[in-house]
Amino acid sequence: MPILLYGTQGFLGYDAPPMRILGLETSCDETGVAVFDTDAGLLAHALHSQVDLHAVYGGVVPEIASRDHIRMLLPLVDRVLEAADGGRPDAVAYTAGPGLVGALMVAGGLANGLALAWSCPVIAVHHMEGHLMAPMLEEEPPAMPFLALLVSGGHSLLVSVCKFGDYEVLGTTLDDAAGEAFDKTAKLLGLPYPGGPALAELAESGDPASYALPRPMIRRPGFDLSFSGLKTAVMLKVKEAAASGRLEQERANIAASFQAAVVDTLVTRTLQAAESVQAQRIVVAGGVGANLSLRENLRHRFAGDVYYPRIEFCTDNAAMIAAVGAIRLSQAEPAGEISARARWSLETLTTPLADNIELGN
Ligand code: KG4
Ligand code: ZN
């Protein structure tokens, strides 16, 4: 099968026949399906969250995740194809990593099976590149270059994006990811999984200045992050409050102080990185990007423009995977081999198209 080299009209800015890409996402605990048309944009998308299945365990159980993806993926594909007028896709894009290998195999297996049946190629998409490009689905997408803060349950990354496929990771977390820190702290405060949204809600009724918590790493050179020390500091405050019988009345204050410390740390590090690469635009993506306090703080403290995906595309979804598939059509391959990678550096990706292709403008 020949390697395809298609561009698109609206999306990439040059003439080519419109193409339809089916996107599949099963890297963690959300089953996502979307259809992206290179001419008309996003045609349909659907998401099934496994949150209720994992909540009793306080975190994602990989085997349960894989089994539920198997149960849900095909019915969702049927639904989304129908919502997108039932047309047969020209290519199937799937998240090939990083993520839980068993869970990744579900989308990888179905993508290859469908592509064989439809005689179309497959595109193995990097999950974090999906998050990076999620703001491109909005009406006013950012022009490149930009600095991206990618903060999710599994990753905290500061990435300098020169152009599509050309990424330099400026900083990463040395221990817990930002979302993981939210989830673990929420658990300490007796909040349900996933903790981020629940903790953010509780924080609204608390005083962020009531506890002095550390802002880890912000005076160190470089742009790395670390959240395990902060988590330990919160644990001590929770224990002290419990020992003095004041935990119930202090929960909101602890949540607000913790959120303020994470947000201040993320924003300070992001501004330092932005200054070093002289970024005029910042993109915030990943599940923690849904945090309103983070959004507000960054908007106040950064002189340039800040871009976010809509809230539902901050967390895992297949729309971003189908969109990256559209841009990477030139790298589509014949179906046959499932790619599933637990770890995969963004910096190993390449630019799929000519230099003059820019997204957004
Ligand atoms: O990107 P995502 O859906 O999945 C991963 O790829 O990890 O991110 C999920 C993470 C969870 O840790 C969740 O607690 C966090 O994003 N999160 C939030 C908020 N909404 C989701 N954290 C803080 N504030 C929120 N509003
Ligand atoms: Zn994600």
PDB file of all heavy atoms in Angstrom, residues 25 27 127-128 131 152-153 155 286-287 314-316 320, ligand 2:
ATOM      1  N   GLU A  25      -9.319   6.089  21.377  1.00  0.00           N
ATOM      2  CA  GLU A  25      -8.484   6.377  22.557  1.00  0.00           C
ATOM      3  C   GLU A  25      -8.844   5.418  23.686  1.00  0.00           C
ATOM      4  O   GLU A  25      -9.992   5.387  24.138  1.00  0.00           O
ATOM      5  CB  GLU A  25      -8.722   7.832  22.981  1.00  0.00           C
ATOM      6  CG  GLU A  25      -8.408   8.180  24.429  1.00  0.00           C
ATOM      7  CD  GLU A  25      -6.943   8.084  24.807  1.00  0.00           C
ATOM      8  OE1 GLU A  25      -6.092   8.544  24.020  1.00  0.00           O
ATOM      9  OE2 GLU A  25      -6.633   7.543  25.887  1.00  0.00           O
ATOM     10  N   SER A  27      -6.094   4.729  26.305  1.00  0.00           N
ATOM     11  CA  SER A  27      -4.787   4.602  26.970  1.00  0.00           C
ATOM     12  C   SER A  27      -4.884   4.457  28.477  1.00  0.00           C
ATOM     13  O   SER A  27      -3.957   3.988  29.119  1.00  0.00           O
ATOM     14  CB  SER A  27      -3.902   5.803  26.635  1.00  0.00           C
ATOM     15  OG  SER A  27      -4.452   6.971  27.180  1.00  0.00           O
ATOM     16  N   HIS A 127      -0.189   9.934  22.673  1.00  0.00           N
ATOM     17  CA  HIS A 127      -1.263  10.499  23.500  1.00  0.00           C
ATOM     18  C   HIS A 127      -0.986  11.954  23.894  1.00  0.00           C
ATOM     19  O   HIS A 127      -1.890  12.804  23.860  1.00  0.00           O
ATOM     20  CB  HIS A 127      -1.412   9.623  24.752  1.00  0.00           C
ATOM     21  CG  HIS A 127      -2.466  10.076  25.707  1.00  0.00           C
ATOM     22  ND1 HIS A 127      -3.807   9.841  25.494  1.00  0.00           N
ATOM     23  CD2 HIS A 127      -2.388  10.760  26.872  1.00  0.00           C
ATOM     24  CE1 HIS A 127      -4.506  10.359  26.496  1.00  0.00           C
ATOM     25  NE2 HIS A 127      -3.663  10.931  27.352  1.00  0.00           N
ATOM     26  N   MET A 128       0.268  12.254  24.250  1.00  0.00           N
ATOM     27  CA  MET A 128       0.563  13.617  24.708  1.00  0.00           C
ATOM     28  C   MET A 128       0.563  14.610  23.552  1.00  0.00           C
ATOM     29  O   MET A 128       0.281  15.790  23.739  1.00  0.00           O
ATOM     30  CB  MET A 128       1.912  13.657  25.451  1.00  0.00           C
ATOM     31  CG  MET A 128       1.984  12.743  26.654  1.00  0.00           C
ATOM     32  SD  MET A 128       0.564  12.894  27.782  1.00  0.00           S
ATOM     33  CE  MET A 128       0.947  14.417  28.613  1.00  0.00           C
ATOM     34  N   HIS A 131      -2.934  15.672  23.454  1.00  0.00           N
ATOM     35  CA  HIS A 131      -3.231  16.749  24.415  1.00  0.00           C
ATOM     36  C   HIS A 131      -2.673  18.094  23.916  1.00  0.00           C
ATOM     37  O   HIS A 131      -3.315  19.125  24.041  1.00  0.00           O
ATOM     38  CB  HIS A 131      -2.617  16.427  25.777  1.00  0.00           C
ATOM     39  CG  HIS A 131      -3.446  15.490  26.619  1.00  0.00           C
ATOM     40  ND1 HIS A 131      -4.758  15.740  26.935  1.00  0.00           N
ATOM     41  CD2 HIS A 131      -3.139  14.311  27.222  1.00  0.00           C
ATOM     42  CE1 HIS A 131      -5.239  14.759  27.699  1.00  0.00           C
ATOM     43  NE2 HIS A 131      -4.268  13.873  27.875  1.00  0.00           N
ATOM     44  N   SER A 152      -1.433  16.224  33.513  1.00  0.00           N
ATOM     45  CA  SER A 152      -2.499  15.222  33.575  1.00  0.00           C
ATOM     46  C   SER A 152      -2.246  14.304  34.760  1.00  0.00           C
ATOM     47  O   SER A 152      -1.390  14.578  35.609  1.00  0.00           O
ATOM     48  CB  SER A 152      -2.520  14.431  32.272  1.00  0.00           C
ATOM     49  OG  SER A 152      -1.371  13.626  32.199  1.00  0.00           O
ATOM     50  N   GLY A 153      -2.999  13.195  34.810  1.00  0.00           N
ATOM     51  CA  GLY A 153      -2.826  12.259  35.907  1.00  0.00           C
ATOM     52  C   GLY A 153      -1.489  11.536  35.844  1.00  0.00           C
ATOM     53  O   GLY A 153      -0.942  11.107  36.860  1.00  0.00           O
ATOM     54  N   HIS A 155       1.288  12.780  33.747  1.00  0.00           N
ATOM     55  CA  HIS A 155       2.397  13.597  33.247  1.00  0.00           C
ATOM     56  C   HIS A 155       2.323  15.032  33.739  1.00  0.00           C
ATOM     57  O   HIS A 155       1.246  15.584  33.902  1.00  0.00           O
ATOM     58  CB  HIS A 155       2.378  13.648  31.710  1.00  0.00           C
ATOM     59  CG  HIS A 155       2.531  12.312  31.081  1.00  0.00           C
ATOM     60  ND1 HIS A 155       3.747  11.805  30.698  1.00  0.00           N
ATOM     61  CD2 HIS A 155       1.619  11.359  30.800  1.00  0.00           C
ATOM     62  CE1 HIS A 155       3.572  10.597  30.202  1.00  0.00           C
ATOM     63  NE2 HIS A 155       2.294  10.301  30.245  1.00  0.00           N
ATOM     64  N   GLY A 286      -4.293  18.844  29.135  1.00  0.00           N
ATOM     65  CA  GLY A 286      -4.280  17.727  30.078  1.00  0.00           C
ATOM     66  C   GLY A 286      -5.338  17.965  31.148  1.00  0.00           C
ATOM     67  O   GLY A 286      -5.814  19.101  31.316  1.00  0.00           O
ATOM     68  N   GLY A 287      -5.699  16.908  31.867  1.00  0.00           N
ATOM     69  CA  GLY A 287      -6.807  16.967  32.817  1.00  0.00           C
ATOM     70  C   GLY A 287      -6.737  18.110  33.815  1.00  0.00           C
ATOM     71  O   GLY A 287      -7.750  18.758  34.098  1.00  0.00           O
ATOM     72  N   CYS A 314      -9.913  18.794  27.673  1.00  0.00           N
ATOM     73  CA  CYS A 314      -8.729  18.835  28.546  1.00  0.00           C
ATOM     74  C   CYS A 314      -8.391  17.425  28.991  1.00  0.00           C
ATOM     75  O   CYS A 314      -7.247  16.995  28.989  1.00  0.00           O
ATOM     76  CB  CYS A 314      -9.006  19.686  29.791  1.00  0.00           C
ATOM     77  SG  CYS A 314      -8.761  21.429  29.539  1.00  0.00           S
ATOM     78  N   THR A 315      -9.435  16.688  29.402  1.00  0.00           N
ATOM     79  CA  THR A 315      -9.203  15.311  29.835  1.00  0.00           C
ATOM     80  C   THR A 315      -9.150  14.408  28.590  1.00  0.00           C
ATOM     81  O   THR A 315      -9.348  14.865  27.467  1.00  0.00           O
ATOM     82  CB  THR A 315     -10.323  14.867  30.808  1.00  0.00           C
ATOM     83  OG1 THR A 315     -11.560  15.253  30.255  1.00  0.00           O
ATOM     84  CG2 THR A 315     -10.166  15.532  32.152  1.00  0.00           C
ATOM     85  N   ASP A 316      -8.881  13.118  28.820  1.00  0.00           N
ATOM     86  CA  ASP A 316      -8.673  12.210  27.684  1.00  0.00           C
ATOM     87  C   ASP A 316      -9.902  12.155  26.774  1.00  0.00           C
ATOM     88  O   ASP A 316     -11.036  12.107  27.244  1.00  0.00           O
ATOM     89  CB  ASP A 316      -8.359  10.799  28.204  1.00  0.00           C
ATOM     90  CG  ASP A 316      -6.990  10.764  28.847  1.00  0.00           C
ATOM     91  OD1 ASP A 316      -6.242  11.753  28.724  1.00  0.00           O
ATOM     92  OD2 ASP A 316      -6.674   9.743  29.472  1.00  0.00           O
ATOM     93  N   MET A 320      -8.994  14.624  19.976  1.00  0.00           N
ATOM     94  CA  MET A 320      -7.602  15.076  19.811  1.00  0.00           C
ATOM     95  C   MET A 320      -6.772  14.017  19.068  1.00  0.00           C
ATOM     96  O   MET A 320      -5.846  14.352  18.327  1.00  0.00           O
ATOM     97  CB  MET A 320      -6.979  15.416  21.180  1.00  0.00           C
ATOM     98  CG  MET A 320      -6.834  14.240  22.127  1.00  0.00           C
ATOM     99  SD  MET A 320      -6.286  14.774  23.777  1.00  0.00           S
ATOM    100  CE  MET A 320      -5.837  13.178  24.518  1.00  0.00           C
TER     101      MET A 320
HETATM  102 ZN    ZN B   2      -4.263  12.165  29.019  1.00  0.00          ZN
END
